[in-house]
Amino acid sequence: GLILQGFISSFPSGLRDFESVRDWLESRSFLTGKQIKILTSHETLMGRGKGLGTNGELRVELESGELREVISSEKIELC
């Protein structure tokens, strides 16, 4: 509830200016800097949360150093 209420009050015009929305969401991201495990429908990724991409995808730096952007997942866990 509180995040949605804050979003609505901060962005009454909706998603017309997604860059501002993305910045607002990223400043509240719990996963940034955390070790995470991401389960998708076809793979499991392990790495550190690196914020949001330009279109809102989750950015994760894998243990190999590769930076990946995840659009959807089945589950995200803290390690």
Side-chain angles (χ1 to χ4, degrees):
L2 291 178
I3 291 176
L4 184 56
Q5 288 174 353
F7 176 81
I8 291 169
S9 66
S10 296
F11 300 98
S13 62
L15 300 175
R16 291 185 203 138
D17 179 16
F18 185 70
E19 185 175 339
S20 296
V21 172
R22 187 193 61 80
D23 292 344
W24 185 87
L25 290 169
E26 188 164 30
S27 72
R28 289 157 177 80
S29 175
F30 177 75
L31 299 175
T32 300
K34 303 270 190 331
Q35 284 294 123
I36 55 178
K37 177 180 178 181
I38 302 169
L39 305 171
T40 72
S41 59
H42 61 280
E43 65 183 335
T44 299
L45 304 171
M46 300 281 291
R48 184 172 302 279
K50 289 293 193 176
L52 301 176
T54 56
N55 295 309
E57 55 281 308
L58 175 62
R59 297 173 71 223
V60 60
E61 183 178 359
L62 303 180
E63 294 172 335
S64 67
E66 177 187 359
L67 187 62
R68 296 275 300 270
E69 294 183 338
V70 178
I71 296 172
S72 68
S73 69
E74 301 292 322
K75 186 175 185 180
I76 300 173
E77 301 175 346
L78 294 177
C79 297

